[in-house]
Amino acid sequence: MYGNNNDFNNKVIRSVLIACVAVVIGFFRSISAIALPPSGTASIGKFWGFGIVIVIIGITYSIMLFTNKVKNKTGVEPEAIAYEIPDFAMKSLDEYQKIDPAFNVADIVNFCSELFMKLQQCRSEKDYSPVRANLTEMYYSSCEQEAQEMEFSNVKCYVESYAIKDIVPRGYFQKAGSDHLVVRVRGTVKDYTINLKSGKLTGGNKEYPKFIVFEWILSRRMGLKTNPPDKVITMSCPNCGAPLNVQGTVKCPYCGSTVAAMESDWKLNSSKIITLRYL
């Protein structure tokens, strides 16, 4: 699942409650000191104490109603919004084509479109091996760790529908001996997680799809060039071992995995949520 802000909201609620309690107690004590004579303090003190308890309960109940209302509408609390890599931190893709003449933006869009669709299936099946060839080892490990945690918690992710709005390769930068493409992926996903033991909803929403904007970073070793589209390479499928004749990136006819022809093909290195809202 795409994370939520439960911890942050809980801290805010606790802080608000503590502040409200302090204000109410201070108010009643000041009123008592001004309005009550010394002889009446003991007899009326219990009344003020009872009033304080009632006010605290009312404040707590109101906050709980508000937070539950938000949860009932969206399934999770509103998501935080991250920032995209600014344009000034990247170079244009026209410049990259001077370095790599066979580089084609349309191929990047097609690659990201197919990978987005497959990742939704992998999340549902808790198995990322079909797209392992398209992910860096670091990102693949993080996906597998998430799948293992869901398996350990006896939780399953159900992805009912998904669609791509648009895919925009924005630019590139070079860092730590690698070329990195920055790609904006916008789409909609209707998903949720269920605890298989209790049958309870643990995340997402069964009724409302969500609109998501991702920032993907595709990476490959600096200095590598895109293979010409007419170049055929004989290799074995890294997933099932079947022999393949590959031009660029193809789907293995035996296991369905997407196979990159050589190291020169891009791999998804990171994925960050920029915007998330329920429709």
Side-chain angles (χ1 to χ4, degrees), residues 171-234:
Y172 84 99
F173 64 94
Q174 294 177 316
K175 184 178 180 181
S178 295
D179 293 338
H180 305 281
L181 290 183
V182 181
V183 183
R184 181 191 297 127
V185 181
R186 301 197 310 163
T188 57
V189 178
K190 184 179 179 182
D191 63 355
Y192 52 91
T193 54
I194 297 290
N195 185 294
L196 297 179
K197 185 176 181 179
S198 65
K200 293 183 178 180
L201 182 72
T202 60
N205 194 293
K206 290 185 177 182
E207 298 181 11
Y208 300 98
K210 54 193 172 187
F211 171 75
I212 307 181
V213 179
F214 292 98
E215 182 177 79
W216 280 10
I217 305 296
L218 308 181
S219 303
R220 72 178 181 184
R221 184 164 54 84
M222 191 184 300
L224 294 177
K225 301 287 192 294
T226 303
N227 293 318
D230 57 346
K231 185 177 181 179
V232 179
I233 299 173
T234 300

Side-chain angles (χ1 to χ4, degrees), residues 28-29 31-53:
F28 280 121
R29 292 191 65 178
I31 292 296
S32 299
I34 296 172
L36 295 178
S39 59
T41 303
S43 60
I44 303 180
K46 293 183 179 179
F47 171 78
W48 287 118
F50 181 73
I52 292 173
V53 172

Side-chain angles (χ1 to χ4, degrees), residues 17 33 49 67 104-105 150 169 171 176 197 222 234 240:
L17 284 176
T67 54
N104 191 316
V105 172
M150 292 180 65
K197 185 176 181 179
M222 191 184 300
T234 300
C240 70

Side-chain angles (χ1 to χ4, degrees), residues 126-272:
K126 293 183 281 190
D127 178 15
Y128 289 87
S129 59
V131 295
R132 182 166 188 172
N134 305 124
L135 311 178
T136 62
E137 283 301 314
M138 180 179 67
Y139 190 68
Y140 174 75
S141 297
S142 67
C143 292
E144 281 293 295
Q145 181 178 356
E146 178 185 348
Q148 292 171 8
E149 290 174 354
M150 292 180 65
E151 186 71 26
F152 179 78
S153 302
N154 204 24
V155 171
K156 180 174 175 57
C157 175
Y158 293 88
V159 183
E160 291 192 351
S161 61
Y162 45 87
I164 295 174
K165 296 294 185 182
D166 58 40
I167 296 173
V168 181
R170 297 179 54 226
Y172 84 99
F173 64 94
Q174 294 177 316
K175 184 178 180 181
S178 295
D179 293 338
H180 305 281
L181 290 183
V182 181
V183 183
R184 181 191 297 127
V185 181
R186 301 197 310 163
T188 57
V189 178
K190 184 179 179 182
D191 63 355
Y192 52 91
T193 54
I194 297 290
N195 185 294
L196 297 179
K197 185 176 181 179
S198 65
K200 293 183 178 180
L201 182 72
T202 60
N205 194 293
K206 290 185 177 182
E207 298 181 11
Y208 300 98
K210 54 193 172 187
F211 171 75
I212 307 181
V213 179
F214 292 98
E215 182 177 79
W216 280 10
I217 305 296
L218 308 181
S219 303
R220 72 178 181 184
R221 184 164 54 84
M222 191 184 300
L224 294 177
K225 301 287 192 294
T226 303
N227 293 318
D230 57 346
K231 185 177 181 179
V232 179
I233 299 173
T234 300
M235 59 180 295
S236 298
C237 173
N239 187 51
C240 70
L244 298 173
N245 292 321
V246 179
Q247 279 183 283
T249 301
V250 300
K251 181 184 294 185
C252 175
Y254 300 96
C255 68
S257 299
T258 299
V259 180
M262 290 181 66
E263 186 185 3
S264 59
D265 283 323
W266 299 91
K267 295 185 178 184
L268 179 59
N269 188 44
S270 69
S271 175
K272 179 174 65 176

Side-chain angles (χ1 to χ4, degrees), residues 70-112:
V70 173
K71 288 183 180 181
N72 289 337
K73 182 178 179 181
T74 64
V76 296
E77 286 78 2
E79 298 291 338
I81 298 177
Y83 292 99
E84 292 182 308
I85 295 176
D87 291 335
F88 66 78
M90 299 180 289
K91 297 180 181 179
S92 72
L93 295 179
D94 290 337
E95 290 188 42
Y96 195 76
Q97 285 182 315
K98 297 177 183 178
I99 301 174
D100 182 6
F103 175 80
N104 191 316
V105 172
D107 290 340
I108 297 298
V109 172
N110 292 334
F111 169 78
C112 292

